Amino acid sequence: MATTLPASLYRGDEQYERERASVFSPSWLYVAHESELSAAGSYVATVRAGFPVLVSRGADGTLRGFHNVCPHRAGPLVHDGAGTASSFVCRYHGWVFEPDGALRGARDFGEPGPAEGCRLWDVQAAAWRGLVFVNLDGSAPPLLESLGTFADEVGGFDLEGFVPAGTWSHDLECNWKTYAENYLEGYHIPLVHRELARSIDVARYEVEVHENWVLHRAPPKDGTVLDGRWLWRWPNLALNVYDDAMNLEQFLPLGPDRTRVAYQYFSRDGTLDEDVSRLSKLLLDEDAAICEAVQRNLNAGVYGHGVLSERHEGGVARFQDLVRAASASRGAADGGLGPRSSRVSARWPRPRGA
Ligand code: FES
Ligand SMILES: [Fe+2]
């Protein structure tokens, strides 16, 4: 029988910094829908696990990603949100960067100028079927290869035919893993989600575990055939897709004990079904209450570790194996945060004469 991760991994700055380096920096992370980046010069700036990141569409149609951190003295290039820009002008001292990240000019810097080749720190950016992902440290294999059989699972769905229908987010007082693990099992449904339990056949709830993704299934009680897929992909993305609607759910860590759950809803005509929206808010309220209670108990110092049900908690077991594997590969918190990783820092040349 699998034992759980120890409670000590669900709190504290040290573990959080370790996971920023070992989990979030080397993974492909969803950041935006491609419709937000359709025009030449459009950009989206956001933060993932504390890393400020910027994705833009060049005039040549290329999608590019950068850390939203100026190499001069760490100023922001753009404010968070969406916009268009033909170049990036740092908000602090006005250095100007080309759309491909090269330094065009260091305003009134004097001599000697910044080092030859000074540029923004790149991150990998790529789109898959309308969804834009970044890999912050540049170490991940190409996106489609990383997605693997997860991509095949939704091969029959017309994802490209969806348009955004709304967003919603909710901040929870819990570690991101507490929420992710709750998402990864249906064992709690009869106790926590009474309305959902009335509409699906809970006894036939199934969790199918794959290498770095998980599929949930439960037949509706009214006898209809469920044509959708409820999918989770390491580390923090859930994709629920049906013939006529899709929603993306991200578990965004804001710190060791705070997590933003962010939804993006999509439909064929851009309208949001009120029932879908009401039910997802109800489910999140119910999950938030139980996750916050669990987190308080994890913090209380009573629980060390527990056990996982083979029948119901295979998804949680796989998630915890992936957390363990990530920690083993990058144990130290100073090993791979964004531009300090070797691949990206190689692009930051030494100052002249150094
Ligand atoms: S920090 Fe960007 S120009 Fe100074
Ligand atoms: Fe739940």
Side-chain angles (χ1 to χ4, degrees):
M1 187 183 298
T3 54
T4 67
L5 295 175
S8 58
L9 296 193
Y10 294 75
R11 56 180 187 250
D13 290 337
E14 196 179 321
Q15 177 62 19
Y16 179 59
E17 289 302 323
R18 188 173 291 125
E19 288 173 4
R20 290 182 66 226
S22 65
V23 172
F24 291 95
S25 195
S27 299
W28 281 105
L29 306 174
Y30 171 77
V31 283
H33 189 250
E34 216 170 357
S35 58
E36 299 170 77
L37 290 158
S38 50
S42 54
Y43 68 81
V44 171
T46 185
V47 176
R48 289 294 177 272
F51 294 105
V53 65
L54 157 66
V55 182
S56 72
R57 174 81 66 188
D60 58 357
T62 305
L63 210 51
R64 296 187 179 88
F66 307 104
H67 289 274
N68 187 12
V69 179
C70 178
H72 174 221
R73 280 182 43 226
L77 300 156
V78 292
H79 294 309
D80 285 353
T84 54
S86 55
S87 58
F88 299 112
V89 183
C90 178
R91 308 278 161 166
Y92 200 0
H93 311 98
W95 286 21
V96 181
F97 297 88
E98 303 286 2
D100 69 359
L103 178 63
R104 182 191 296 171
R107 182 189 63 83
D108 199 24
F109 192 71
E111 291 297 329
E116 196 81 21
C118 173
R119 54 171 293 114
L120 298 180
W121 288 303
D122 299 289
V123 305
Q124 288 201 81
W128 165 73
R129 304 199 60 193
L131 311 186
V132 179
F133 291 74
V134 294
N135 162 230
L136 296 162
D137 74 359
S139 70
L143 176 60
L144 196 56
E145 188 183 321
S146 290
L147 291 173
T149 52
F150 173 89
D152 302 336
E153 187 64 35
V154 292
F157 290 86
D158 176 25
L159 304 192
E160 294 80 354
F162 288 123
V163 294
T167 59
W168 185 64
S169 70
H170 186 89
D171 293 357
L172 281 67
E173 301 294 316
C174 71
N175 185 266
W176 73 278
K177 300 193 295 302
T178 307
Y179 184 80
E181 290 171 3
N182 172 76
Y183 184 92
L184 282 164
E185 47 95 350
Y187 194 26
H188 67 276
I189 290 173
L191 280 291
V192 175
H193 304 301
R194 301 291 166 100
E195 182 175 331
L196 178 65
R198 282 196 294 273
S199 62
I200 60 170
D201 185 350
V202 177
R204 291 166 63 201
Y205 196 96
E206 280 175 36
V207 178
E208 192 181 297
V209 178
H210 296 263
E211 186 187 349
N212 59 8
W213 61 276
V214 164
L215 169 69
H216 295 245
R217 262 197 276 261
K221 262 190 185 155
D222 64 6
T224 55
V225 177
L226 182 72
D227 61 354
R229 300 280 190 283
W230 306 336
L231 296 159
W232 165 86
R233 204 244 169 217
W234 169 260
N236 67 335
L237 178 68
L239 168 64
N240 302 319
V241 59
Y242 308 89
D243 282 338
D244 56 355
M246 168 171 86
N247 68 66
L248 294 172
E249 181 180 342
Q250 299 174 78
F251 324 147
L252 303 173
L254 303 176
D257 50 12
R258 283 176 60 226
T259 300
R260 176 163 299 156
V261 176
Y263 289 96
Q264 269 184 302
Y265 301 99
F266 299 84
S267 64
R268 296 290 173 206
D269 60 2
T271 57
L272 175 57
D273 185 313
E274 276 181 26
D275 245 15
V276 168
S277 153
R278 185 194 64 79
L279 187 60
S280 72
K281 285 180 185 175
L282 171 68
L283 293 175
L284 182 54
D285 281 349
E286 292 167 342
D287 282 325
I290 194 68
C291 287
E292 290 176 349
V294 166
Q295 187 68 49
R296 287 192 294 275
N297 282 350
L298 289 169
N299 295 348
V302 176
Y303 176 99
H305 62 78
V307 291
L308 294 171
S309 152
E310 282 186 30
R311 158 82 179 88
H312 293 288
E313 293 170 308
V316 179
R318 175 54 51 92
F319 174 80
Q320 297 196 349
D321 283 346
L322 290 166
V323 171
R324 286 187 190 95
S327 313
S329 67
R330 303 259 189 113
D334 61 356
L337 296 182
R340 284 189 283 165
S341 72
S342 57
R343 177 167 168 174
V344 181
S345 63
R347 296 180 189 151
W348 183 212
R350 296 210 166 281
R352 285 186 199 133

